[in-house]
């Protein structure tokens, strides 16, 4: 379906009426207050919060004349990196030198005698006469430099005054990770490096790189060139896979050469980040099997998948396939010098193995009692191979479902239960539960969220996650290496959307990974967060605006010509608003609870911290016409629709922004709760159609729909909920209109429905390989 729906930075009322953004998606220039502010406490709004900070008297002034001195070449490398970050964010050019003891300088020193309890520990002393950063290891010295950089960026311009203090700091966990999925959507080398810089400035030290999946093989393997020649390309579903000029298939391609990977690994290492590659087995293998069909179970060549979800294609269990995987890993271990290699192991549904006589015979040959034991034998084989090459194996928590080699490490994603089981069995664990640390999940319920997966994981949710379960005893808790946030990219085509999803939630991950648990405090973190947003702007990072926007709920009384308005901010920041057409400022009325406005009304509101708006003020237009319309974002999920609400993107145009729809794929159904039907003669529904691009594996039987009566199904409108009275039923067309949409008007039958009712809206029939999605619903006046 080609786009005609307004997208991108469109803003709608959360559960009420349409709103208009004053300035959509504009970068906000730091205000004069932000530029001049010096923190009133010595912490400089540091994120992550250091383990120990003592405030002194006075301040050090950092200027263009301040020398950066180092005791040796290793320390100078850190000084140079500090100078680079300061130049990029404050435009300050500082010289570096080895040796010297000038007063008024910043000194970086490696001291083997320094004992901070961790190779990443450091001490930072700031006095009016100079600054000294000391650590035993380069990593610790670098993190001390990062802290100093944060202190130097509390003001956007003007003199840099750093309050006197001593910081003694070390991380809580050794694994502070971030995973990026480059298989579903591909990022450029430049974007990867930008993310590595951002990780370093959050003191994150592990970059887990998901390089292979059903939708793409992204790493060059010289012995098997077809993995990238064939497996590195797919034809996107629908209009996105059609060249608009020629009408021919338009492949989506991308892979990293081994030279590019070495460059990225070296770039990460300079920032004290270890790269952990992932080669997923035995499932998520469709791109590999598309490249070399002999690796599969059936011998058939599937396409590189253009669908999301859980696929059925598995590597077979022949000796030749095991050797293939070892040959792949042999090239991988040469490219990645870190300790770990990730072998996946997740979501490998065993249907193909179960139905294959050859696989069953092979299992008997190898002594595998069942299919999970067969996967365990594969894990054991790869673990021995990796160990022989000086590496440790790590996999998703499904690898626990078979006997696991003692040295294997478990990454717990299906909650924390897998991590608890693994730790009790003596395995090291990285906590990465989808319920708390998946950054492709929406972070607010506001309509400006980009496409994403179900549920909402707010900044506060991420911050609240505790990686060490209380159920473990002290000895078992030592197996918790740390935590990791994961970013899957099925719905993330653009770098801007990627940065929206990561920031500021990655700041919450950073603090949980670094700061002692007893020192974490949400209200304190929320106080420090606005300064972090300023740093993001300095770095050119497009952080999410939605956590700092305003949501509005409107309860209207059309007959009386009034509406009751309630405003909220997802993170609980103060809201100020106006109703006289002026922009909200620090002295505008603070929102203290629901209030009434006469219709029509124009309301402007913004969330504030320390007297400054955190995002662009928003304009909400409330009038009788807008109160009769709900967009898909404003409609509720039907009670029987299931939990899998997705924010889905249209399939066209091939390039640029596309329409976005909220839909439940297991039971597509939308509900306008408490719709006021007094005086309403019809319901007008605008629908679009997009490809149904989901593989559900064993969840497929859970998908259901109402049976169709006519050839293409019907639009059904019920009052009083989906089990209530059928108000209208209209046949659907075979195809949408030229603009990709169809608009149907369902006349309400006599006697007129009246009062407030829950309107349930569905399309009957199984319409795959496409699906109808609601764009908006309108109530049409026309009855007494």
């Amino acid at each position: 379906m080609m786009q005609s729906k307004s997208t991108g930075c469109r803003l709608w009322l959360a559960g009420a009426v349409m709103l208009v953004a004053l300035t959509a998606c504009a970068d906000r220039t730091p205000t004069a207050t932000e530029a001049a502010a010096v923190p009133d406490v010595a912490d400089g709004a540091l994120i992550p919060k250091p383990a120990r900070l003592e405030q002194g008297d006075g301040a050090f002034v950092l200027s263009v004349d301040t020398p950066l001195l180092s005791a040796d070449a290793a320390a100078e490398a850190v000084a140079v990196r500090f100078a680079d970050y300061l130049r990029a964010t404050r435009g300050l050019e500082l010289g570096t030198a080895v040796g010297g003891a000038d007063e008024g300088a910043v000194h970086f020193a490696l001291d083997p005698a320094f004992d901070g309890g961790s190779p990443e520990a450091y001490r930072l002393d700031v006095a009016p006469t100079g600054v000294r950063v000391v650590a035993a290891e380069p990593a610790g010295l670098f993190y001390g430099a990062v802290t100093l950089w944060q202190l130097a960026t509390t003001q956007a311009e003007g003199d840099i005054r750093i309050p006197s203090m001593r910081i003694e700091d070390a991380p809580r966990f050794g694994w502070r990770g971030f995973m990026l999925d480059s298989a579903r959507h591909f990022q450029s080398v430049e974007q990867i490096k930008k993310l590595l810089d951002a990780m370093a400035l959050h003191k994150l030290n592990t970059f887990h790189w998901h390089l292979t999946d059903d939708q793409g093989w992204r790493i060059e393997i010289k012995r098997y060139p077809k993995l990238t020649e064939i497996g590195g390309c797919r034809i996107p579903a629908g209009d996105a896979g059609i060249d608009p000029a020629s009408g021919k298939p338009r492949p989506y391609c991308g892979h990293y050469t081994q030279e590019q990977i070495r460059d990225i690994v070296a770039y990460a290492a300079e920032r004290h980040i270890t790269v952990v590659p992932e080669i997923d087995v035995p499932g998520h293998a469709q791109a590999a099997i598309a490249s070399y069909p002999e690796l599969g179970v059936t011998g058939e060549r599937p396409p590189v998948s253009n669908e999301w979800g859980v696929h059925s294609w598995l590597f077979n269990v022949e000796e030749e396939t095991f050797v293939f995987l070892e040959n792949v890993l042999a090239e991988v271990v040469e490219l990645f010098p870190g300790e770990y290699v990730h072998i996946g192991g997740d979501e490998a549904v065993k249907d193909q193995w179960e139905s294959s006589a050859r696989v069953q015979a092979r299992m008997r040959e190898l002594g595998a009692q069942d299919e999970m034991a067969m996967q365990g034998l594969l894990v054991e084989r790869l673990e021995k191979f990796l160990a022989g090459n000086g590496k440790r194996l790590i996999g998703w928590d499904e690898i626990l479902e078979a006997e696991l080699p003692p040295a294997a490490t478990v990454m717990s994603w299906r909650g924390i239960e897998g991590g608890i089981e693994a730790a009790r069995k003596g395995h090291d664990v990285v906590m990465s539960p989808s319920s708390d640390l998946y950054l492709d999940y929406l972070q607010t319920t506001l309509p400006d969220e980009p496409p994403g997966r179900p549920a909402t994981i707010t900044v506060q949710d991420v911050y609240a996650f505790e990686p060490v379960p209380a159920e473990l005893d002290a000895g078992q808790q030592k197996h918790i290496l740390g935590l990791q946030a994961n970013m899957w990219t099925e719905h993330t085509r653009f770098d801007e959307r990627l940065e929206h999803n990561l920031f500021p939630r990655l700041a919450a991950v950073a603090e949980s990974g670094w700061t002692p648990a007893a020192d974490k405090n949400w209200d304190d973190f929320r106080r420090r967060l606005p300064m972090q947003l300023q740093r993001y702007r300095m770095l050119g990072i497009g952080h999410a605006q939605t956590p700092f926007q305003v949501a509005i709920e409107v309860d209207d009384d059309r007959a009386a010509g009034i509406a009751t308005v309630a405003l909220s901010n997802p993170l609980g920041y103060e809201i100020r608003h106006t109703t006289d057409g002026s922009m909200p400022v620090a002295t505008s009325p603070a929102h203290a609870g629901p209030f009434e406005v006469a219709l029509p009304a124009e309301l402007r509101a913004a969330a504030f911290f320390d007297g400054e708006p955190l995002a662009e003020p928003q304009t909400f237009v409330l009038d009788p016409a807008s109160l009769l319309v709900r967009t898909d974002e404003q409609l509720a999920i039907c009670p029987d629709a299931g939990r899998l609400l997705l924010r889905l993107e249209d399939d066209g145009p091939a390039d640029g922004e596309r329409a976005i729809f909220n839909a439940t794929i297991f039971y597509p159904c939308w509900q306008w709760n408490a719709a006021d039907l007094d005086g309403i003669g019809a319901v007008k529904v605008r629908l679009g159609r997009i490809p149904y691009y989901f593989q559900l594996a064993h969840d497929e039987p859970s998908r259901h729909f109402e049976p169709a009566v006519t050839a293409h199904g019907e639009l059904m409108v019920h009052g009083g909920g989906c089990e209530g009275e059928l108000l209208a039923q209209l046949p659907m067309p075979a195809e949408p209109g030229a603009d990709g949409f169809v608009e149907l008007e369902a006349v309400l039958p006599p006697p007129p429905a009246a009062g407030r009712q829950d309107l349930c809206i569905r399309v009957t029939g199984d319409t795959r390989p496409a699906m109808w999605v609601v764009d908006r619903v309108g109530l049409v006046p026309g009855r007494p």
Side-chain angles (χ1 to χ4, degrees):
M1 187 179 85
M2 299 300 286
Q3 173 191 358
S4 66
K5 182 181 183 182
S6 175
T7 60
C9 297
R10 59 199 178 108
L11 297 174
W12 307 97
L13 294 183
V17 298
M18 187 180 302
L19 70 90
V20 180
L22 183 67
T23 306
C25 285
D27 290 333
R28 186 165 72 88
T29 302
T31 66
T33 300
E34 288 173 329
V38 176
D40 58 1
V41 292
D43 70 0
L46 298 174
I47 294 179
K49 185 178 181 179
R52 182 181 178 190
L53 185 152
E54 295 179 0
Q55 188 166 355
D57 296 324
F60 176 78
V61 178
L62 186 67
S63 71
V64 69
D65 297 321
T66 302
L68 305 180
L69 304 180
S70 308
D72 52 38
E76 187 186 29
V78 174
V80 169
R81 187 76 54 223
F82 171 76
D84 289 343
Y85 288 138
L86 206 56
R87 181 186 308 111
T89 52
R90 289 300 313 268
L92 193 63
E93 294 280 353
L94 299 182
T96 64
V98 176
D102 291 355
E103 188 173 279
V106 177
H107 295 262
F108 295 91
L110 288 169
D111 181 0
F114 174 79
D115 183 9
S118 164
E120 297 176 305
Y122 68 90
R123 185 177 66 241
L124 170 64
D125 288 296
V126 180
T129 55
V131 177
R132 185 170 181 83
V133 187
V134 179
E137 300 287 344
L141 196 65
F142 174 77
Y143 292 129
V146 168
T147 298
L148 183 61
W149 169 79
Q150 287 198 2
L151 292 168
T153 51
T154 56
Q155 310 102 50
E157 57 187 42
D159 292 340
I160 300 175
R161 296 183 67 250
I162 303 175
S164 295
M165 69 185 76
R166 165 169 280 198
I167 292 176
E168 294 177 342
D169 202 9
R172 181 185 179 196
F173 294 111
W175 188 300
R176 305 181 304 281
F178 164 63
M179 187 222 74
L180 179 65
D181 169 17
S182 293
R184 275 54 174 265
H185 279 101
F186 181 77
Q187 301 85 31
S188 68
V189 171
E190 291 71 23
Q191 178 65 13
I192 297 289
K193 289 182 176 180
K194 183 178 181 182
L195 292 176
L196 289 170
D197 271 316
M199 286 181 64
L201 295 174
H202 286 82
K203 299 178 183 172
L204 299 171
N205 67 355
T206 305
F207 177 53
H208 172 180
W209 204 0
H210 187 79
L211 290 165
T212 73
D213 216 295
D214 299 299
Q215 297 83 10
W217 185 285
R218 305 297 179 205
I219 175 173
E220 178 190 21
I221 303 296
K222 292 186 180 296
R223 186 162 183 165
Y224 302 108
K226 291 181 182 179
L227 287 172
T228 49
E229 291 171 2
I230 296 175
C233 295
R234 67 171 180 263
I235 304 299
D239 291 328
I242 302 172
D243 187 317
S246 66
K248 296 181 180 180
R250 176 179 176 171
Y252 178 94
C253 301
H255 73 272
Y256 304 98
T257 67
Q258 292 196 359
E259 181 180 0
Q260 289 173 322
I261 288 173
R262 289 190 183 94
D263 178 39
I264 288 170
V265 168
Y267 192 89
E270 290 172 355
R271 289 148 183 81
H272 303 280
I273 295 171
T274 300
V275 184
V276 176
E278 181 181 351
I279 307 297
D280 211 342
V281 301
H284 291 289
Q286 189 166 331
I289 297 170
S291 307
Y292 294 96
E294 62 271 22
L295 299 173
V297 174
T298 68
E300 300 172 353
R301 183 192 295 274
V304 179
S305 180
N306 61 9
E307 298 180 318
W308 316 128
V310 181
H311 293 51
S312 62
W313 293 89
L314 300 180
F315 286 112
N316 65 43
V317 295
E318 301 295 335
E319 176 64 20
E320 293 80 4
T321 299
F322 290 176
V323 170
F324 162 84
L325 293 173
E326 289 174 340
N327 290 339
V328 168
L329 291 177
E331 294 192 32
V332 169
V333 299
E334 291 297 320
L335 293 170
F336 297 91
E339 181 180 7
Y340 282 97
V341 172
H342 204 298
I343 56 88
D346 63 310
E347 297 181 326
V349 294
K350 304 302 190 294
D351 295 1
Q352 288 189 341
W353 283 4
E354 291 171 357
S355 61
S356 167
R358 174 56 192 155
V359 170
Q360 294 298 312
R362 176 73 170 152
M363 286 169 53
R364 290 191 293 271
E365 292 173 16
L366 297 174
Q369 298 300 312
D370 56 28
E371 288 74 24
M372 201 60 230
M374 183 66 246
Q375 179 170 329
L377 290 177
L378 174 59
V379 171
E380 181 180 0
R381 170 90 174 243
L382 298 181
E383 193 275 336
K384 289 180 179 178
F385 178 84
L386 290 171
N389 285 271
K391 303 293 183 183
R392 291 185 64 184
L393 177 146
I394 185 171
W396 301 109
D397 56 63
E398 284 94 331
I399 66 175
L400 280 167
E401 296 172 16
E403 192 68 27
L404 196 58
T409 299
V410 172
M411 186 168 282
S412 188
W413 74 276
R414 296 179 299 175
I416 63 172
E417 291 75 18
I420 292 172
E421 178 186 351
R424 285 174 172 166
K425 291 181 176 180
H427 297 287
D428 287 342
V429 172
V430 176
M431 287 296 191
S432 189
S434 60
S435 55
D436 302 88
L437 297 179
Y438 270 31
L439 301 186
D440 53 315
Y441 281 41
L442 305 180
Q443 57 190 303
T444 74
T445 58
L446 291 176
D448 255 4
E449 291 292 337
R453 293 208 287 172
T456 302
I457 299 179
T458 67
V459 180
Q460 186 171 4
D461 292 332
V462 175
Y463 191 82
F465 175 67
E466 169 50 47
V468 180
E471 297 93 319
L472 299 178
D473 62 33
Q476 295 163 347
Q477 288 179 359
K478 292 179 181 178
H479 285 292
I480 307 299
L481 303 180
L483 78 167
Q484 177 175 290
N486 296 333
M487 179 64 220
W488 304 102
T489 62
E490 289 96 331
H491 307 289
T492 308
R493 286 190 301 128
F494 303 137
D495 292 345
E496 294 83 358
R497 287 181 181 170
L498 179 61
E499 293 178 9
H500 171 105
N501 286 338
L502 299 188
F503 306 102
R505 288 187 290 188
L506 213 54
V509 175
E511 183 142 319
S512 293
W514 185 281
T515 303
D519 291 341
K520 285 183 59 182
N521 180 283
W522 165 250
D523 288 334
D524 181 56
F525 178 83
R526 195 177 61 147
R527 175 189 63 81
R528 289 177 278 127
L529 190 55
M531 191 63 70
Q532 189 76 352
L533 304 184
Q534 176 174 285
R535 296 186 185 106
Y536 291 155
R537 290 190 289 271
M538 291 177 176
L539 293 164
I541 292 174
H543 70 83
Q545 298 293 309
T546 47
F548 311 101
Q549 290 179 343
V550 175
I552 184 171
E553 293 185 5
V554 176
D555 184 9
D556 66 281
D557 185 342
R558 295 198 306 270
I562 61 173
T564 301
V565 175
L567 304 176
S568 62
N569 169 258
L571 299 185
Y573 286 105
E574 177 187 63
I575 297 171
R576 294 187 177 272
H577 67 272
T578 63
T579 56
D580 60 2
S582 64
M583 299 299 297
V585 295
T587 55
S588 298
H591 180 64
F595 60 96
E596 287 187 353
V597 294
L599 300 176
E602 182 176 283
L603 174 69
R604 293 182 175 181
F608 279 75
F609 177 77
D610 199 22
E612 296 294 331
L614 293 170
E616 288 292 338
Q618 295 158 264
T619 300
F620 303 90
V621 176
L622 285 69
D623 56 39
S626 65
L627 293 172
L628 293 174
V629 177
R630 295 289 185 273
T631 67
D632 55 295
E633 295 94 345
Q634 298 166 253
L635 298 171
I637 303 171
C638 297
D640 295 329
R643 59 179 174 81
L644 195 58
L645 172 68
L646 294 174
R647 190 150 166 74
L648 299 175
E649 189 176 52
D650 203 348
D651 57 318
D655 297 303
E657 293 287 351
R658 301 173 184 169
I660 301 170
F661 306 93
N662 283 5
T664 50
I665 64 171
F666 280 95
Y667 185 54
C669 183
W670 295 259
Q671 193 156 292
W672 183 335
N673 290 329
D676 185 357
L677 298 185
D678 284 342
I680 300 301
V683 177
K684 186 178 292 186
V685 183
R686 188 174 193 248
L687 303 105
R689 192 147 89 162
I690 64 176
Y692 183 91
Y693 40 60
F694 302 98
Q695 294 280 340
L696 300 180
H698 292 169
D699 288 328
E700 177 61 33
S702 299
R703 185 182 187 276
H704 62 285
F705 47 86
E706 301 302 316
V709 177
T710 57
H712 307 296
E714 299 81 39
L715 171 70
M716 298 177 65
V717 180
H718 284 257
C722 295
E723 302 302 319
E725 178 187 1
L726 177 62
L727 300 180
Q729 180 171 307
L730 299 175
M732 294 295 296
E735 300 289 341
D739 65 351
F741 292 86
V742 62
E743 191 164 84
L744 301 176
E745 185 168 319
V747 176
L748 300 181
R756 293 190 178 272
Q757 297 193 41
D758 294 341
L759 288 182
C760 171
I761 298 164
R762 293 171 290 187
V763 175
T764 64
D766 187 349
T767 60
R768 289 177 291 184
M771 65 181 293
W772 290 104
V773 286
V774 167
D775 176 31
R776 65 172 179 256
V777 178
L779 303 181
V780 182
R783 296 190 305 189

